Amino acid sequence: MTSEFELIARYFARPVAGDGVDLGIGDDSALLLPTPGHQLVVSVDTSVAGVHFPPDAPAHAIGHRALAVSLSDLAAMGAWPRWCLMALMLTETDDEWLAEFARGFHALADTHGVSLAGGDVTRGTLAIGVTVHGELPTGQALTRGGASPGDLIAVTGALGSANGGLAAWQAGLRDLADPLLAAYLLPQPRIEAGYRLRELATAAIDISDGLLADLGHVCAASGVGADIEQEAIPRDDALIERLGDTQALQSALAGGDDYELLIALPAERLEEARAALASIDVPLTPIGRFSRRPGIRGVPCDGPGGWQHFPGAAP
Ligand code: ADP
Ligand code: MG
């Protein structure tokens, strides 16, 4: 049986990848060196087995996904990620599982140059809380509150795929080469896209709860409404093929878990924004416009409002 300290040493303590870590794993706290003239951009997300991911998902995907959903929040601010902390709750210490979990986590961390600077391990129901620290030149954050009437509403990638992947998982599919299942279990945070859009977009959010719910957050924060062109919402061919047109649209509108970015963009900057994303192969699709009129129009108004842990609670 692996002790807590052996477990940390074996699976999580590594030579620090990026710079800016004066003292990492092994002491009571980490010592980090933020870049002068920058703001720290900090976010935390908890992934709970059976709530946010299937407990029997491949361990490397669980590790990847736990970090990806936190990094997605930095992407939505246009921030550059630097460090993270992991609070890991485990039911048991299974070496094979931990090795795979750590492999998935570290691989994504390396992709984005993020150093794991510390964490915590406890026993309980399987859950992973990941705190990420990014940086931005002071005052340059892309928030939810900057959209103006007339700005385009644009989204990266395709929507609904993760929801299609969830359906596929529930139907028994286990092949991670499947594009929908991969979208669900191995989401790619749009860090580079968010960074490139920071000076072009006026507002941004990551689509974690579903397009309508997250668009609603931007509208509320910016004091605007939205007109959507339903047919313009980008959806993967595989999703339409598998679920049919109506259900694919429903997945895109309210499915959640996509981790794409929704931005507000002055129309005259569309081509520049698309060009900025072309070299990283991220499509950017306008799906409507923000408006002075409150409310969201152009989509079914009686659809579900996106994922909520506490439906009916105060907004
Ligand atoms: P303490 O009892 O002082 O809180 P811990 O035993 O929780 O210390 O952790 C020992 C060291 O290992 C700390 O530096 C902590 O940041 C690090 N650590 C613990 N769990 C993890 C983890 N899951 N990932 C990365 N570092 C971890
Ligand atoms: Mg501790």
Side-chain angles (χ1 to χ4, degrees):
M1 182 100 160
T2 316
S3 80
E4 181 188 328
F5 299 108
E6 284 168 0
L7 186 157
I8 294 163
R10 190 174 305 163
Y11 300 112
F12 299 117
R14 301 189 311 160
V16 166
D19 49 357
V21 182
D22 249 8
L23 187 60
I25 294 171
D27 215 308
D28 293 307
S29 303
L31 298 177
L32 308 175
L33 289 167
T35 308
H38 285 58
Q39 282 173 313
L40 266 183
V41 186
V42 183
S43 183
V44 63
D45 266 306
T46 307
S47 299
V48 181
V51 179
H52 301 96
F53 62 89
D56 54 342
H60 75 90
I62 296 175
H64 170 108
R65 198 176 183 285
L67 177 58
V69 301
S70 288
L71 288 178
S72 179
D73 282 322
L74 294 187
M77 307 298 286
W80 200 249
R82 298 206 62 191
W83 309 292
C84 66
L85 302 172
M86 180 207 302
L88 177 60
M89 202 187 282
L90 294 169
T91 51
E92 57 180 346
T93 56
D94 173 336
D95 280 295
E96 206 178 314
W97 189 94
L98 276 162
E100 277 300 286
F101 171 84
R103 180 174 71 83
F105 188 96
H106 292 315
L108 185 66
D110 290 349
T111 298
H112 295 288
V114 181
S115 303
L116 178 61
D120 192 34
V121 180
T122 48
R123 187 181 290 272
T125 191
L126 175 61
I128 312 104
V130 178
T131 302
V132 286
H133 307 78
E135 289 187 329
L136 273 170
T138 299
Q140 299 293 303
L142 200 48
T143 68
R144 299 177 179 187
S148 297
D151 283 352
L152 294 176
I153 303 164
V155 296
T156 60
L159 302 186
S161 300
N163 193 239
L166 169 62
W169 178 272
Q170 287 168 342
L173 192 73
R174 293 293 180 268
D175 178 9
L176 280 177
D178 179 78
L180 301 186
L181 200 53
Y184 171 48
L185 290 177
L186 296 170
Q188 299 300 328
R190 295 300 197 184
I191 291 290
E192 184 72 40
Y195 185 75
R196 291 175 184 221
L197 290 169
R198 178 161 53 83
E199 289 180 354
L200 298 170
T202 53
I205 192 167
D206 67 321
I207 306 177
S208 52
D209 295 336
L211 171 64
L212 291 185
D214 290 315
L215 174 60
H217 296 317
V218 175
C219 287
S222 298
V224 296
D227 292 288
I228 295 291
E229 287 167 47
Q230 200 168 275
E231 318 74 54
I233 299 170
R235 281 155 283 166
D236 197 302
D237 290 341
L239 181 73
I240 296 172
E241 219 169 89
R242 212 170 292 168
L243 299 189
D245 234 359
T246 310
Q247 187 52 45
L249 180 64
Q250 196 55 36
S251 293
L253 289 173
D257 284 336
D258 284 318
Y259 300 103
E260 294 293 347
L261 298 181
L262 178 150
I263 61 167
L265 187 70
E268 66 276 11
R269 294 190 196 150
L270 177 62
E271 284 323 307
E272 196 183 341
R274 278 183 154 162
L277 301 193
S279 63
I280 51 169
D281 221 16
V282 176
L284 183 71
T285 311
I287 60 165
R289 274 186 195 264
F290 288 102
S291 145
R292 221 170 286 282
R293 250 178 85 203
I296 297 176
R297 290 161 297 276
V299 289
C301 57
D302 54 351
W307 172 257
Q308 289 186 41
H309 283 276
F310 302 103

